[in-house]
Amino acid sequence: KFAALMLQQSIIEAKICFHNLYDFEKEYVQCKGVLLDYYSNSNKLDYKELYEHQDIVTSSDVLLSIIIPVYNSSKYLDKCLRSVLEQTYSNLEIIIVNDGSTDESVSIIKKYADFDKRIVFIDNVVPSGNPGTPRNQALKIVKGHYVTFVDSDDYVAANYYEKFFNSLQSNKEEVDIVFASGYQDYYNKHKVKKRIYSNSNFDDKLDIFYRYHESFTIWDKIYRTSFLIDNDIYLAETPAAVDVPFVFKCYIAAEKVSICDSNYGYFYRRESDSSVTVNKRMKSNCQFEFDVYRQVMDWLSLSPSRSSFSPLVDFKKISSYLYTLSLISDEHKEDFYKKVRSEFLSFDKDLMIELLSRSKQHSKLGRFKKILAVPYME
């Protein structure tokens, strides 16, 4: 009966069950033959591999490190980890950093780490209090030639990373960043909408949007690890908005980027129960928004060649601040609004209007103009 049930399961489930079966010698002996024969004959898993708990490895010699920070995301974690472990591109190092979870997250991670040698598990007993620290902790130990990120409440399509590496084969020189062409956005708990990035003038030195891309997330790209290390690029260690300095530094410092066409295989839960993005903005004064952009501006000031990118930073501030204004609690809204307005008044108004118009962000343009005109309105 147990063997019959096993045959209906995925590879990952079969490996977990077979691993646990070692504790029951009689059942193990009864089931071993039929299970191994089945997975061997069906080409789902090699006989020796299942028996010895080895991992499927592709012929590629390019190792990809995937960083997954975890904090109280047990509700979504199984789906996340399965999606990574079942990738068709499997030459992976999977660094999972538990950042002081108090739910069942640790037991879920250990279940997978027990049978898959690709997993590197770091267990922080005391939470850092921010989503940047565990990611930076992992970045300092990665072994992969490329590195990427997955949030523990999200998941990826089975061929997501295979598509990235297929696209790299057409490049004759090293690529610092490979962009996905979009992602799948859970815009409510049950509906998913494909988000497609518009054509970017990222490499056009004559364009006003040179070195700017509409994506400011870290999980829809893969990065050459040595590029990050050489440029000392890490995430901010603030309560939220930790991606902002990382992404800006990557965009401005990168020498070679490419786009992975037709790759929309990241499934993003914008407002999950464990979303730091939402929760931190709802429950604080959101000072971190100003702090991360100050870090970017300080970094720009270190090199005269970077100063020309300041208007793009101001442009991105508009989106970030307006988003936070839509979430921040009434307790902190007036103070945050006044700080935002003060910054908006310091911008080159005509340039910001042109940038918002050219990017067809008409709703944001209207709100930007309104904040410039109104000191504060409930």
Side-chain angles (χ1 to χ4, degrees), residues 99 124 128 130-138 235-237 242:
D99 198 36
N124 297 333
S128 67
N130 73 84
T133 295
R135 291 175 173 86
N136 290 338
Q137 191 177 357
L235 290 102
E237 298 192 348
V242 300

Side-chain angles (χ1 to χ4, degrees), residues 151-207:
D151 288 352
S152 58
D153 48 0
D154 300 337
Y155 62 97
V156 288
N159 62 350
Y160 187 56
Y161 298 116
E162 181 182 13
K163 286 187 174 182
F164 276 114
F165 283 96
N166 286 343
S167 72
L168 278 173
Q169 293 178 1
S170 62
N171 290 280
K172 296 181 180 180
E173 53 187 325
E174 287 274 36
V175 176
D176 296 326
I177 309 170
V178 185
F179 292 83
S181 17
Y183 63 95
Q184 306 288 340
D185 190 5
Y186 274 89
Y187 62 96
N188 65 34
K189 291 185 177 180
H190 305 289
K191 294 183 180 180
V192 181
K193 182 177 181 180
K194 182 188 288 187
R195 171 73 185 277
I196 302 174
Y197 296 139
S198 61
N199 292 329
S200 172
N201 295 318
F202 189 90
D203 280 332
D204 185 353
K205 293 183 179 180
L206 300 179
D207 193 271

Side-chain angles (χ1 to χ4, degrees), residues 66-74 76-77 80-81 84 94-101 105 109 120-124 128 130-139 148-154 218-219 235 242-243 266 274 276:
I66 301 176
I67 295 173
I68 307 175
V70 177
Y71 178 71
N72 287 347
S73 52
S74 59
Y76 310 99
L77 192 53
C80 172
L81 296 184
V84 172
I94 304 160
I95 305 177
I96 306 173
V97 185
N98 173 57
D99 198 36
S101 296
S105 293
I109 296 168
V120 178
F121 177 33
I122 300 173
D123 190 10
N124 297 333
S128 67
N130 73 84
T133 295
R135 291 175 173 86
N136 290 338
Q137 191 177 357
L139 275 173
T148 190
F149 303 85
V150 177
D151 288 352
S152 58
D153 48 0
D154 300 337
I218 58 173
W219 36 255
L235 290 102
V242 300
D243 298 8
Y266 193 100
S274 58
V276 172

Side-chain angles (χ1 to χ4, degrees), residues 2 4 11 22 41 50 71 82 93 98 105 117 120-121 142 160 170-171 212 219 245 247 309 343 345 362:
F2 180 82
I11 302 263
Y22 278 171
N41 294 335
L50 181 59
Y71 178 71
R82 286 175 186 272
E93 174 189 51
N98 173 57
S105 293
K117 68 180 181 181
V120 178
F121 177 33
V142 296
Y160 187 56
S170 62
N171 290 280
Y212 190 90
W219 36 255
V247 172
F309 296 103
E343 288 212 28
L345 289 169
H362 304 302

